[in-house]
Each structure stands twice: as structure tokens, then as C-alpha cells.
């Protein structure tokens, strides 16, 4: 299995350029990650630049984060976290690093134009065609409708509905959704799939 550092960067899509997060991106990331509208549903919600530094710029976090540039400006980020599948102990050597957990955030000013969908579509391509994993997953709060609508737009399947499984800082214990897509499904998708 490859890692993000093995791939060629940057990657251009129709309207975006994707590339690994770099230390110099701190101010650009803070500009939209400090927006309360963005932090309502995110897993990592840094309260200041120091927390942002710890959460996004550790070697481990840098290795699994891409930024989306639009017209030369960083407008969002993607997490591609390689994970192990579950398996029986005697075959566990075949479960290591075969999945990616995806995450995404797009600056509020750039939402509503399909840019996040475009970025996540490219991320699925990176996962399946570049990293060679067999399954991609993503989770969200059930009330984060823009996020699960995005996944359904891209053909990801809702595979789990956890009742009161996630703790939200204001809402308490609330429902969560798990979505997934297999490499075989990605390869057999209609070429015109999605917007
Ligand atoms: C999740 C998030 C990225 C979705 O943003 P978004 O703007 O809805 O997503 P897109 O950029 O793909 O835009 C899709 C919207 O633009 C519309 N659109 C316009 N042109 C489009 C195009 N060419 N292609 C696709 N959609 C297009 C779509 O219809 C859709 O609107 P709708 O949901 O009202 O139908 C955004 O809400 C966000 O960053 N939230 C905060 C962080 C967060 O919650 N992250 C996820 C944690 S699990």
C-alpha cells in the first residue's frame, strides 16, 4: 500500500488544485477553521492557532492532510487517514492499511458550488487508484446534512446509523452515520456518475 508522500503532487481537478498541507499553510487554514459555522460539526475544532498547530501540523497529521486551492487560495482541507480493516487474528497481516477514512472541510464562502464534491471525488480517486486501498469510509453526525448529501452525491453508501453514538459539544449524545465505498464499486462506477 502506498502513502500520500509516494504520489505526485499537485493534483489538478476542474476547479481545484490538491496538494499536501505544508507548515506555511497555518494562517490560511486558520482563516476558515476559526469560523464557528465550520466548527459546528467538525471532529477537530481548534480554539486558537496553537491548538491548530497541534491538531493539524504534527508529522502524523501533515502526512494525512491535503489542502484544496481554488484560484490560488487555500479554501479547504481533506483528511485521508489510512486505517486497518477488522479481521480474524490469523489473517490480520492482510488487514493492515487496507482502508482510508476520509474527512473534508470547505470554507463557508466557497460552499454551495460543488467544490467539496469535486475535491472528495478526487480524494476517492487518490485512495483507490493512488493508494490502492480496498475500502473508503467516512462518518458524520446524522444532522450534518451537507456532509451526507455530499457522500450520497458521490455514490457512497450509508452502512451504519449509530443511535446516540457520538458526543456533540452542545447537543450531547446524538446519532451518527457511517458511509463507505469499495474499490470494486469505484472501478465499476458509470463514467458520468455525479454532477
Ligand atoms: C460538508 C461541506 C464540505 C459541504 O459543503 P457544500 O457546499 O454543501 O458541498 P459542495 O461544495 O460539494 O457543494 C454542494 C452544493 O452545491 C450545489 N452545487 C452547485 N454546483 C454544483 C456542482 N457543479 N457540483 C456539485 N454540486 C453543486 C449542490 O447542489 C449542493 O447544494 P445542495 O446540497 O443544496 O443540493 C461543508 O458544509 C463544510 O465544510 N462543513 C463544515 C465542516 C464539516 O462539517 N465537515 C464534515 C465533517 S463530517
Amino acid at each position: 500500500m502506498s502513502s500520500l508522500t509516494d504520489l505526485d503532487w499537485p493534483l489538478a481537478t476542474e476547479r481545484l488544485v490538491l496538494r499536501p498541507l505544508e507548515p506555511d499553510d497555518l494562517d490560511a487554514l486558520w482563516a476558515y477553521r476559526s469560523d464557528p459555522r465550520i466548527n459546528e460539526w467538525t471532529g477537530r475544532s481548534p480554539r486558537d492557532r496553537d491548538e491548530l498547530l497541534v491538531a493539524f501540523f504534527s508529522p502524523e497529521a501533515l502526512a494525512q492532510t491535503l489542502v484544496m486551492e481554488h484560484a490560488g487560495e487555500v479554501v479547504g482541507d481533506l483528511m485521508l487517514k489510512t486505517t486497518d480493516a477488522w479481521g480474524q487474528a490469523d489473517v490480520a497481516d492482510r488487514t493492515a492499511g487496507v482502508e482510508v477514512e476520509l474527512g473534508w472541510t470547505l470554507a463557508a464562502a466557497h460552499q454551495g458550488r460543488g467544490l467539496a464534491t469535486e475535491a472528495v471525488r478526487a480524494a476517492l480517486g487518490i485512495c483507490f487508484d493512488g493508494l490502492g486501498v480496498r475500502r473508503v469510509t467516512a462518518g458524520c453526525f446524522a444532522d450534518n446534512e451537507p456532509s451526507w448529501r455530499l457522500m450520497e452525491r458521490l455514490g457512497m453508501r450509508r452502512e451504519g446509523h449509530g443511535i446516540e453514538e457520538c458526543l456533540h459539544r452542545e447537543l450531547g449524545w446524538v446519532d451518527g452515520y457511517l458511509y463507505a465505498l469499495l474499490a470494486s464499486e469505484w472501478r465499476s462506477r458509470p463514467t458520468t456518475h455525479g454532477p
Side-chain angles (χ1 to χ4, degrees):
M1 229 55 71
S2 306
S3 69
L4 287 180
T5 49
D6 299 325
L7 307 181
D8 291 332
W9 302 105
L11 175 72
T13 66
E14 195 184 332
R15 296 173 290 175
L16 295 168
V17 172
L18 304 185
R19 61 163 176 81
L21 176 69
E22 294 167 0
D24 281 352
D25 294 320
L26 192 135
D27 286 343
L29 219 64
W30 179 245
Y32 64 87
R33 279 278 182 174
S34 55
D35 182 342
R37 290 171 294 180
I38 291 296
N39 289 324
E40 184 180 3
W41 301 116
T42 45
R44 291 173 292 176
S45 315
R47 287 167 296 187
D48 55 36
R49 278 187 169 73
D50 288 343
E51 284 191 7
L52 184 81
L53 197 61
V54 171
F56 288 87
F57 292 85
S58 67
E60 187 190 1
L62 282 169
Q64 60 190 34
T65 309
L66 301 179
V67 292
M68 318 168 194
E69 286 184 2
H70 177 61
E73 180 193 352
V74 174
V75 296
D77 53 83
L78 295 164
M79 178 192 78
L80 291 84
K81 182 179 179 182
T82 303
T83 57
D84 300 341
W86 187 85
Q88 293 176 304
D90 49 317
V91 286
D93 56 324
R94 288 162 46 197
T95 63
V98 296
E99 299 193 0
V100 166
E101 180 190 345
L102 278 184
W104 44 79
T105 292
L106 178 66
H110 294 276
Q111 293 177 12
R113 289 188 289 147
L115 288 177
T117 303
E118 188 173 318
V120 177
R121 184 186 292 112
L124 290 169
I126 292 167
C127 293
F128 293 126
D129 304 329
L131 302 179
V133 298
R134 63 176 303 281
R135 183 169 178 258
V136 170
T137 65
C140 69
F141 287 107
D143 281 345
N144 189 356
E145 188 171 338
S147 209
W148 59 255
R149 281 169 66 87
L150 178 156
M151 293 191 257
E152 295 194 349
R153 216 176 281 129
L154 290 170
M156 294 181 74
R157 180 180 41 253
R158 187 183 298 174
E159 295 189 345
H161 180 166
I163 306 298
E164 293 187 18
E165 68 166 350
C166 348
L167 183 57
H168 186 278
R169 68 177 75 83
E170 280 142 16
L171 304 173
W173 290 101
V174 293
D175 293 7
Y177 291 151
L178 171 73
Y179 278 77
L181 189 70
L182 295 170
S184 54
E185 295 169 318
W186 173 253
R187 285 188 208 106
S188 63
R189 72 195 184 287
T191 48
T192 54
H193 183 85

